[in-house]
Amino acid sequence: MKRRTFVLRLVAATGALAVGWTFFPPRRRMGDGSRISEGPGETALNGWVKIGTDNTVTVIMSKSEMGQGIHTTLAMLLADELDADWSQVRVEMAPVGDPIYNNIATVVDGLPFHPDDHGLIQRTTAWLTAKTMREAGVMITGGSSSVKDLWLPMRQAGASTRALLVSAAAATWKVPESTITVAGGVLSHANGLRATFGQLITEASTLTLRSDAPLKSAAQFTLIGKPMRRLESAAKQRGTATFGIDVVLPGMQYASVVMCPVLGGTVASMDTAAARLLPGVKQVVAIDGHNGGTGGVAVIADTPWHAMKAAKSVKVAWSNGAMATVSSESVMRTLASTLDTERGHAYLTRGNVDDALAAAAKQVTAEYRAPFLAHATMEPINCTVQFADGRATVWASTQVPGLARRAVAKVLGIASDQVTMHVQLLGGGFGRRLDIDYIAQAAAIAQAAQGEPVQTIWSREEDIRHDFYRPACVSRFSAGLDASGKLLAWRNVSAGQSVVAATIGRYFGLPAGPIDKTTSEGSFDQPYEYPAVRVGHAIVELLVPTGFWRAVGHSHHGFFTESFMDEVAVAAKSDPIAFRLALLAKHPRHARVLTRVAELAGWASPLDAGVEGTRRGRGVALHESFGSVVAQVAEVTIAADNTLRVDRVVCVIDCGFPVNPNMIQQQVESAVVFGLSAALHGEITITDGRVTQGNFNDYRPLRMSECPAIVVDIIPSVEHPEGVGEPPLPPIAPAVANAIFAATGTRLRSLPLRLSER
């Protein structure tokens, strides 16, 4: 065959295969369980569950447990369809590398479409993205996507396993499958025959897994929808739960790091003589800045204290690099000046907003700002690595075990399949453990330990001063009202860094495209029915390292959008809730949530007066993110010296079917507290490339004495479950800011909210 003819036929065949591939649905995420380790008496029946002869049911988890209760919630899905005995359910982390564990939902949700857009382009793009992620995606916990991602796979795995056990019982007892019932881990027949799961596991393992096992209806659920307690609670209470920092191995050494004070800097030279003379010191090594991190010095010693003490005694001359001239003030000036000349990429347009603004009887304008924020997880950054005989074993608290394994392999110069990952419980994630700099760094340090396991631990100061920060952002608004106070036009443009571009570069060394939904989410994707609108964002390239932070762009755009919505309502001389409801005529779900929060908060009644000399106010905010709708009303008290206290927060959430109301309530409370920490105190400032803050004294979380009463209401729903961990965070800052305005008449347009300085 001539070369040209061969090439043409090959192209045609490949094209036909590609077209055919696009029409097939994404492959089922069942798996055959061949990669799951089986202990004595255990049999894996698919990629999500194994059953022991002792009747234990072990649910395989592809999502990291970082305090959100996801291991409990996901186990409920499988156990309910299986009709297992909940007291016999256990969980185990999934092996890294099987594509059935790739997270499809978080990537599909990251596509830059408005939630109301269900057109052909959106549906086709989502379809192809889902198929691609099924085969070539990433095992990741993030984007409030865990339940959404595994709502069907976990249930299908449970139902298929149940069907196998029923078939095994029917074959053993020689009765029709339809005559067998399953409940509490026991199969029964009307003639008195009875067997536990463990008694049938050998027979079941010889049968073919069924792909057509029917799923339960909502009315048949016995676990799903119930307020179940966490599976890991008892271990945490006893102190036996193992977080990354709890790993202890025979012969383990400890490493402490001191990194260049200037972000992105490296070691120019170092004097290690004093450190090497201190007790317990094994080695002192210079380390590079891996995967976007900063270079520094590591001391390996026999105890964490010896390592920390010695690390501080190393005399280092630093090469500061390009960040040495960067400050928070220069960043804000750059962002603001960008908005003087750029309109940004338009994520939402409708009508002619310029003409509508020009024709308005009244215009309202404002500029809002948000600072950099650190993650400050309760468990400091740490990772344990052993590198011996050409293989590496890693014990880490991570949200991306597959990417972590790849990074370790690259640092050590070995293949990924020579790296074994043990994912531990995470003492908080919030997006920080989506990055892999500390894991790659720990691998490099362990390489110098000559086969001994090394646990690298960062101090709190190194953690806060070498984070990947929530981007700073500046946002400008213009709104137009007619003579009666009706909204005619809404224009918004913001400027800030692209988190997706930064992380794609750190993960894969690749450039990202000009569009990043996270830069504008929370502004362009809200439900309000503007007659004319344009929402845009200008991506600004800066040197400050940025990363995903809880709720990502929603965390600051929620504050901007809902605060300005309140400003416009005041200008229209309208009640803030009534003004919003008028813009939600075609969005009954959002209107229902907003109406419900008004009822629970007693919005129609005057707020109780405070003690003499204080002022009190109430504010509202509505926000949609990660598929869920949340409305909050905050009540605040302003003392005579302008100090602020948030007294009560009423929160209503519609997150689709509430799989575990107990976990939902806890996550709502968590998001409110985390969001209040940022709203009232959170700010990372940079001077000459150095982060000013270093610990909880100057980067304050909310104190227990500051925590308000939190009322949580969950809207009943039979719709597909949506996100929970992040959606309650965006509304809290604007609800408080709007309450401050109601109490004082002062509009705060910058975070953190500091009335006492005005």
Side-chain angles (χ1 to χ4, degrees):
M1 187 184 300
K2 291 184 178 180
R3 183 181 300 147
R4 180 174 179 275
T5 303
F6 173 78
V7 171
L8 289 174
R9 291 186 180 182
L10 179 61
V11 170
T14 303
L17 287 173
V19 171
W21 178 81
T22 63
F23 282 102
F24 284 105
R27 286 195 300 149
R28 286 171 62 86
R29 299 165 66 185
M30 188 70 68
D32 58 9
S34 59
R35 301 194 188 194
I36 299 174
S37 61
E38 297 176 342
E42 291 183 331
T43 300
L45 296 177
N46 54 55
W48 300 99
V49 63
K50 59 183 179 181
I51 297 176
T53 53
D54 61 353
N55 298 316
T56 58
V57 174
T58 303
V59 182
I60 308 302
M61 291 291 165
S62 63
K63 311 299 183 186
S64 298
E65 176 59 69
M66 47 189 168
Q68 79 278 44
I70 198 60
H71 282 185
T72 302
T73 301
L74 293 179
M76 289 168 58
L77 300 180
L78 190 146
D80 199 324
E81 294 286 355
L82 179 57
D83 281 318
D85 180 346
W86 183 247
S87 67
Q88 297 173 336
V89 173
R90 309 288 184 267
V91 298
E92 180 179 300
M93 284 303 298
V96 179
D98 193 326
I100 67 170
Y101 304 127
N102 292 343
N103 190 322
I104 293 175
T106 193
V107 182
V108 172
D109 284 354
L111 296 172
F113 294 100
H114 193 283
D116 292 344
D117 185 353
H118 302 293
L120 179 61
I121 294 176
Q122 185 275 336
R123 288 183 282 114
T124 302
T125 305
W127 175 269
L128 293 176
T129 299
K131 285 177 62 63
T132 302
M133 291 302 103
R134 166 62 177 85
E135 307 303 328
V138 178
M139 183 176 170
I140 181 173
T141 307
S144 292
S145 64
S146 294
V147 173
K148 181 188 297 189
D149 186 54
L150 295 180
W151 168 248
L152 285 178
M154 278 292 188
R155 293 176 61 205
Q156 289 166 345
S160 296
T161 303
R162 182 184 186 278
L164 271 185
L165 293 167
V166 169
S167 295
T172 302
W173 297 338
K174 297 185 174 20
V175 298
E177 293 184 6
S178 60
T179 63
I180 296 173
T181 59
V182 188
V186 176
L187 294 91
S188 305
H189 188 269
N191 63 12
L193 294 170
R194 184 178 181 278
T196 64
F197 286 177
Q199 291 170 329
L200 292 167
I201 193 64
T202 301
E203 175 67 24
S205 66
T206 66
L207 304 176
T208 301
L209 193 68
R210 288 174 52 182
S211 61
D212 61 345
L215 300 179
K216 291 182 177 181
S217 66
Q220 296 173 307
F221 291 152
T222 57
L223 296 173
I224 299 173
K226 304 297 188 296
M228 307 296 289
R229 295 182 178 179
R230 294 171 182 261
L231 288 172
E232 80 279 9
S233 285
K236 288 178 176 177
Q237 291 164 2
R238 291 193 300 264
T240 57
T242 305
F243 294 82
I245 206 168
D246 295 324
V247 171
V248 177
L249 303 169
M252 190 165 79
Q253 301 173 10
Y254 297 86
S256 183
V257 297
V258 174
M259 289 171 281
C260 180
V262 175
L263 291 165
T266 57
V267 174
S269 64
M270 62 181 184
D271 180 353
T272 65
R276 293 181 184 277
L277 294 175
L278 293 175
V281 173
K282 308 291 185 181
Q283 293 196 57
V284 183
V285 295
I287 49 176
D288 295 328
H290 296 279
N291 296 91
T294 298
V297 174
V299 172
I300 304 173
D302 59 347
T303 70
W305 171 246
H306 284 156
M308 291 173 65
K309 185 177 180 181
K312 293 179 180 179
S313 71
V314 179
K315 298 177 181 178
V316 186
W318 301 106
S319 177
N320 291 332
M323 270 289 293
T325 60
V326 175
S327 68
S328 302
E329 291 78 9
S330 68
V331 166
M332 285 300 181
R333 285 196 301 270
T334 298
L335 298 181
S337 64
T338 298
L339 295 181
D340 292 337
T341 59
E342 295 188 28
R343 287 166 54 86
H345 172 78
Y347 286 85
L348 174 66
T349 58
R350 184 184 307 125
N352 190 318
V353 71
D354 294 332
D355 288 350
L357 283 170
K362 177 185 290 187
Q363 284 197 29
V364 185
T365 62
E367 178 180 287
Y368 283 81
R369 298 187 173 198
F372 293 107
L373 291 178
H375 297 84
T377 60
M378 188 56 66
E379 179 189 13
I381 292 298
N382 69 88
C383 179
T384 303
V385 180
Q386 183 173 24
F387 180 49
D389 302 323
R391 294 190 61 89
T393 306
V394 182
W395 293 262
S397 302
T398 177
Q399 296 173 246
V400 283
L403 293 176
R405 183 178 73 159
R406 183 174 177 269
V408 169
K410 183 178 180 180
V411 168
L412 299 177
I414 59 179
S416 290
D417 59 8
Q418 299 300 301
V419 179
T420 301
M421 292 292 304
H422 296 291
V423 180
Q424 308 301 303
L425 293 174
L426 283 63
F430 315 125
R432 177 60 179 99
R433 288 180 163 94
L434 287 170
D435 268 289
I436 50 180
D437 57 309
Y438 63 99
I439 295 176
Q441 180 196 76
I445 294 170
Q447 193 172 25
Q450 302 176 345
E452 296 295 332
V454 181
Q455 183 175 94
T456 299
I457 307 174
W458 291 16
S459 67
R460 178 64 62 191
E461 288 76 11
E462 295 295 337
D463 186 353
I464 290 179
R465 290 173 180 157
H466 295 92
D467 202 344
F468 294 98
Y469 303 97
R470 199 278 304 275
C473 190
V474 176
S475 186
R476 290 178 182 168
F477 291 87
S478 298
L481 299 166
D482 68 12
S484 66
K486 180 181 177 181
L487 183 67
L488 299 177
W490 180 280
R491 184 169 62 199
N492 173 219
V493 60
S494 54
Q497 292 168 266
S498 167
V499 174
V500 169
T503 52
I504 290 295
R506 292 198 293 269
Y507 288 160
F508 308 111
L510 298 173
I515 298 175
D516 173 5
K517 176 188 175 183
T518 68
T519 62
S520 190
E521 64 186 5
S523 56
F524 86 95
D525 51 4
Q526 296 309 291
Y528 298 117
E529 299 152 15
Y530 310 109
V533 60
R534 185 187 189 276
V535 178
H537 181 87
I539 293 176
V540 181
E541 294 186 7
L542 301 169
L543 295 174
V544 181
T546 58
F548 294 104
W549 193 87
R550 192 172 186 175
V552 202
H554 293 283
S555 66
H556 45 277
H557 282 296
F559 166 65
F560 303 155
T561 302
E562 281 299 287
S563 294
F564 186 66
M565 181 62 71
D566 221 62
E567 287 201 59
V568 178
V570 170
K573 298 180 180 180
S574 176
D575 173 80
I577 288 182
F579 189 79
R580 287 170 170 83
L581 287 173
L583 298 172
L584 297 171
K586 298 177 182 178
H587 292 81
R589 181 186 180 209
H590 302 75
R592 180 172 63 249
V593 171
L594 188 57
T595 301
R596 177 63 176 161
V597 81
E599 294 171 353
L600 290 177
W603 186 266
S605 303
L607 190 62
D608 292 340
V611 299
E612 186 176 353
T614 64
R615 293 159 291 173
R616 302 201 70 214
R618 185 163 48 197
V620 66
L622 172 72
H623 197 83
E624 178 179 354
S625 62
F626 305 96
S628 293
V629 180
V630 179
Q632 292 175 358
V633 169
E635 298 173 4
V636 305
T637 298
I638 313 297
D641 62 356
N642 271 348
T643 56
L644 163 69
R645 176 174 181 82
V646 181
D647 301 311
R648 185 172 78 132
V649 176
V650 179
C651 181
V652 176
I653 181 171
D654 181 345
C655 56
F657 192 98
V659 177
N660 187 338
N662 193 26
M663 296 299 106
I664 294 171
Q665 177 167 339
Q666 291 178 17
Q667 281 301 287
V668 169
E669 293 169 347
S670 164
V672 168
V673 171
F674 196 85
L676 273 177
S677 296
L680 301 181
H681 307 302
E683 183 178 25
I684 288 293
T685 55
I686 300 171
T687 302
D688 298 329
R690 302 169 183 238
V691 172
T692 304
Q693 293 73 21
N695 212 313
F696 290 135
N697 63 312
D698 51 14
Y699 190 76
R700 285 187 57 194
L702 197 73
R703 304 296 196 235
M704 292 185 71
S705 60
E706 298 174 291
C707 189
I710 303 173
V711 178
V712 180
D713 187 67
I714 304 168
I715 296 288
S717 176
V718 295
E719 300 298 323
H720 195 289
E722 299 290 346
V724 172
E726 294 166 281
L729 186 148
I732 187 61
V736 172
N738 295 337
I740 292 171
F741 175 81
T744 66
T746 299
R747 184 69 66 179
L748 303 183
R749 299 189 180 94
S750 294
L751 293 174
L753 302 170
R754 291 172 176 161
L755 189 64
S756 59
E757 297 179 2
R758 296 173 183 271

